[in-house]
Amino acid sequence: MKRVVTVQEALTKIPVTSEVTVKGWVRTFRNNQFIALNDGSTIHNIQCVVDFENTPESLLKRITTGAAIEVFGVLAESQGKGQNVEIQAKNVIVHGDSDPDKYPMQPKKHSLEFLRENAHLRIRTNAFGAIMRLRSSLAFAVHQYFNQKGFFYVNTPIITGSDAEGAGEMFRVSTLPLNNAPLKEDGTINFKEDFFGKETNLTVSGQLEAETYAMGLSKVYTFGPTFRAENSNTSRHLAEFWMIEPEVAYNDLDANMDLAEDFIKYVIGYVVEKHEDDLKFLEQRLLEEEKSKPQSERSEMTLLEKLNFVLQNNFKRVSYTEAIDILKNSKPNKNKKFQFLIDEWGADLQSEHERYLVEKHFKCPVILFDYPANIKAFYMRLNEDGKTVRAMDILFPGIGEIVGGSQREERYDVLVEKMKALGIDEEELWWYLDTRKFGTCVHSGFGLGFERLVLFVTGMTNIRDVIPYPRTPQNAEF
């Protein structure tokens, strides 16, 4: 029986002289003899040596870059440089031809923009193979962490009638005809005739529903797709992305910060341990990119240094008020080097401020807490001072905010007053308010944008390059 193995297994686990079969895609074919084969299991190719003198010319012509092939042969010590073993091919089967003149993923460096235009094929490049292997392992580590900590995985609705963030930037879900929607007497759309009998949208967060489940299961988390109709064409925004959102009953803000720090260190540590080759490749790629930048714009840390910076440092906990004082008196602020100058308490911090605190002032990851109430969401617990809330953000080097969370407002009367002040309809969130009437308790949670995490771990600079098919304004291709 022909033993079918992955390229990774052939390179690392299978004894020399074993007969093996590998299946994958041709990266290069040199001199009618040397096939570089990759199946996605590793950043490395395996060399397959063809006996071209005894192989039909018609078959050799079909072994082109991009072709899907199967190789049966003997694993042997490599005679060439760059690999320890190779396969001495006894038989090659071509399953799917590739037009060598039209195949876009030629063995050369392509721009990221070109690869986005060919997102259906970019996974066959080294860079995107590495990125997506890391993304997969990060997702596995997320579930493994919460499972080990006794959390329950909850699937919150993708279609919702509420706006968890109060931002209003939501995608409407409707079956009403666009050109002839039923109207009420006042001329507005009559959503009672829609599929769900009310106005519904794609969710921006599963947090509110997760909170209700924490009130029965104690420790829950969601990990699913979320959507924001923000018309923002930047390297940091997507219209469709994935969110990780744990909610824990009886956790106060301090316990919430402990959980977030422990969680982030676990998932990053997992991929650092499991994906050394992929991370080294991406680190080298990043170093090559840095050479083209002015010295002032180059990163002070390599990719692995940045990841270890998070793993090896305790996260510094700093109040928003203390952070504002630091920023107001900083050299970049006094010398007007910040794009957004810090003049007074209450300012909404920008990425440049967050990175200054992490990279220049404290030189470690930072957790800011107790933000002004008027720049944070309605569900965050109001402090006794009446002007700040029990919010927290985790700040990382190179990226700024990566986690946002809070102790939730569990007091019914206070929550109702906050909703009234912000014009949030109590009837729309009656079920959320119910959890404050029946068996309420202190509880906390946080949200982590999964793509933001993948961006940090891979060292990529555009969030469109860490999700298989990015959804952005004017772009829903593939």
Side-chain angles (χ1 to χ4, degrees):
M1 181 179 177
K2 296 180 180 179
R3 183 181 183 185
V4 179
V5 300
T6 66
V7 169
Q8 183 185 40
E9 289 170 332
L11 290 172
T12 60
K13 296 180 180 179
I14 308 300
V16 171
T17 73
S18 299
E19 287 193 335
V20 296
T21 297
V22 292
K23 303 176 182 182
W25 293 268
V26 177
R27 289 289 175 86
T28 60
F29 185 36
R30 297 181 295 111
N31 303 330
N32 268 357
Q33 186 174 16
F34 302 107
I35 302 171
L37 188 68
N38 192 283
D39 65 355
S41 62
T42 173
I43 193 82
H44 302 294
N45 305 323
I46 192 165
Q47 179 166 279
C48 305
V49 183
V50 178
D51 181 2
F52 69 93
E53 291 182 351
N54 295 306
T55 302
E57 186 177 347
S58 59
L59 176 61
L60 293 175
K61 286 182 177 180
R62 295 178 63 200
I63 304 173
T64 58
T65 298
I69 69 169
E70 178 178 340
V71 178
F72 168 69
V74 177
L75 200 63
E77 290 185 3
S78 178
Q79 303 302 309
K81 296 179 180 179
Q83 65 275 324
N84 295 321
V85 295
E86 62 189 19
I87 296 175
Q88 299 291 335
K90 292 184 177 181
N91 188 29
V92 178
I93 301 172
V94 179
H95 289 293
D97 294 318
S98 181
D99 187 331
D101 297 322
K102 295 182 180 179
Y103 181 59
M105 300 297 115
Q106 293 298 322
K108 63 179 183 179
K109 186 170 182 178
H110 298 284
S111 71
L112 291 173
E113 187 58 43
F114 173 82
L115 293 175
R116 287 178 210 128
E117 293 169 0
N118 292 275
H120 59 307
L121 295 173
R122 67 179 180 174
I123 191 58
R124 300 193 195 183
T125 64
N126 283 337
F128 281 89
I131 292 165
M132 293 305 158
R133 279 188 294 272
L134 286 163
R135 182 185 170 104
S136 176
S137 279
L138 281 167
F140 175 81
V142 167
H143 288 295
Q144 182 165 272
Y145 174 85
F146 286 123
N147 184 262
Q148 290 175 356
K149 296 292 181 179
F151 281 69
F152 297 99
Y153 179 38
V154 175
N155 301 117
T156 52
I158 290 174
I159 299 172
T160 178
S162 62
D163 181 357
E165 299 295 326
E169 296 166 332
M170 304 180 76
F171 290 101
R172 180 168 292 153
V173 176
S174 176
T175 59
L176 294 177
L178 291 175
N179 58 353
N180 191 28
L183 303 177
K184 294 189 287 189
E185 289 184 4
D186 63 2
T188 60
I189 294 175
N190 184 6
F191 285 103
K192 286 186 177 180
E193 295 191 27
D194 207 349
F195 185 90
F196 293 106
K198 63 182 294 186
E199 187 173 0
T200 53
N201 305 284
L202 295 178
T203 186
V204 299
S205 169
Q207 177 203 312
L208 303 189
E209 292 88 352
E211 280 189 56
T212 68
Y213 265 66
M215 293 299 103
L217 293 175
S218 292
K219 297 196 291 186
V220 303
Y221 74 102
T222 74
F223 185 3
T226 51
F227 309 84
R228 298 204 181 170
E230 183 179 356
N231 191 16
S232 184
N233 252 317
T234 77
S235 61
R236 295 163 63 88
H237 290 88
L238 290 168
E240 176 186 89
F241 55 99
W242 288 66
M243 284 287 288
I244 302 157
E245 298 174 292
E247 292 291 330
V248 186
Y250 300 103
N251 261 17
D252 61 10
L253 187 67
D254 289 330
N256 197 38
M257 291 190 281
D258 291 341
L259 174 67
E261 179 174 347
D262 189 57
F263 165 70
I264 284 183
K265 285 184 173 179
Y266 178 90
V267 295
I268 292 177
Y270 181 88
V271 295
V272 167
E273 179 186 347
K274 301 287 185 182
H275 288 272
E276 181 182 1
D277 288 345
D278 286 326
L279 288 169
K280 283 184 176 178
F281 171 83
L282 290 171
E283 179 176 71
Q284 190 57 45
R285 181 190 171 282
L286 191 60
L287 289 171
E288 291 297 320
E289 274 194 358
E290 293 275 295
K291 290 178 182 178
S292 63
K293 296 180 181 178
Q295 190 69 38
S296 60
E297 295 179 16
R298 294 180 187 179
S299 175
E300 295 181 5
M301 289 183 279
T302 66
L303 177 57
L304 284 166
E305 285 173 347
K306 192 172 62 170
L307 298 179
N308 285 313
F309 176 86
V310 170
L311 295 175
Q312 295 167 6
N313 283 294
N314 292 325
F315 294 9
K316 179 72 175 178
R317 301 184 182 186
V318 184
S319 73
Y320 168 88
T321 300
E322 183 184 346
I324 285 293
D325 289 338
I326 290 168
L327 292 166
K328 278 176 66 177
N329 295 307
S330 68
K331 285 185 178 179
N333 200 59
K334 288 181 175 179
N335 296 335
K336 302 188 185 304
K337 297 293 185 182
F338 282 146
Q339 183 181 352
F340 299 93
L341 297 178
I342 300 294
D343 297 320
E344 57 186 16
W345 190 93
D348 201 353
L349 300 186
Q350 304 297 317
S351 179
E352 60 180 342
H353 308 131
E354 296 166 342
R355 290 185 59 184
Y356 174 83
L357 292 169
V358 172
E359 298 167 27
K360 303 297 183 183
H361 188 83
F362 290 108
K363 299 187 186 301
C364 66
V366 172
I367 307 181
L368 293 188
F369 62 91
D370 286 354
Y371 279 79
N374 63 354
I375 62 172
K376 288 296 182 180
F378 76 95
Y379 50 73
M380 297 184 176
R381 195 183 202 277
L382 191 66
N383 282 319
E384 300 309 314
D385 61 14
K387 66 175 187 176
T388 61
V389 288
R390 298 252 74 193
M392 67 95 173
D393 288 342
I394 298 181
L395 315 180
F396 269 16
I399 200 167
E401 180 197 338
I402 194 165
V403 166
S406 72
Q407 185 174 320
R408 313 312 191 188
E409 182 56 79
E410 85 282 7
R411 298 165 296 183
Y412 177 83
D413 293 342
V414 177
L415 186 57
V416 168
E417 285 302 312
K418 292 180 73 176
M419 290 172 67
K420 284 179 179 177
L422 294 169
I424 298 171
D425 188 357
E426 292 175 53
E427 291 186 10
E428 183 182 304
L429 291 176
W430 64 270
W431 52 272
Y432 186 68
L433 288 169
D434 262 7
T435 60
R436 274 64 176 174
K437 292 179 184 177
F438 310 126
T440 189
C441 68
V442 167
H443 62 287
S444 299
F446 62 83
L448 168 60
F450 187 53
E451 282 71 30
R452 187 70 63 89
L453 175 64
V454 181
L455 199 69
F456 179 77
V457 169
T458 60
M460 302 300 289
T461 55
N462 194 315
I463 204 162
R464 302 175 192 204
D465 299 324
V466 297
I467 191 169
Y469 294 104
R471 298 292 180 246
T472 55
Q474 302 299 307
N475 177 32
E477 197 66 60
F478 305 104

